Amino acid sequence: MATATRERLTSAAITLHHPLDYYFALFLRAKKNEGLKSRTLSDHESHYRYFQR
């Protein structure tokens, strides 16, 4: 349930235990298993490369 006030996350509150590429690979594998079309998967990869730049 949403509350009227939200705490802001600070960079100290977010800790990645693996490189971002690791998490993207997990995401992409999950999307492949969901049966997304190859064009959609390709777009996800393209957007991720853009994000990296």
Side-chain angles (χ1 to χ4, degrees):
M1 185 173 175
T3 61
T5 59
R6 290 185 173 175
E7 291 183 34
R8 287 187 170 249
L9 293 179
T10 63
S11 60
I14 299 171
T15 303
L16 297 178
H17 298 287
H18 298 285
L20 194 55
D21 289 344
Y22 172 83
Y23 294 107
F24 180 74
L26 286 177
F27 164 80
L28 199 59
R29 187 169 57 215
K31 294 302 165 185
K32 286 179 184 177
N33 289 335
E34 286 178 17
L36 268 63
K37 293 185 178 188
S38 61
R39 171 63 193 261
T40 303
L41 296 170
S42 168
D43 285 349
H44 285 319
E45 290 174 322
S46 174
H47 295 151
Y48 181 66
R49 284 192 304 273
Y50 177 81
F51 172 72
Q52 285 179 309
R53 284 186 267 143

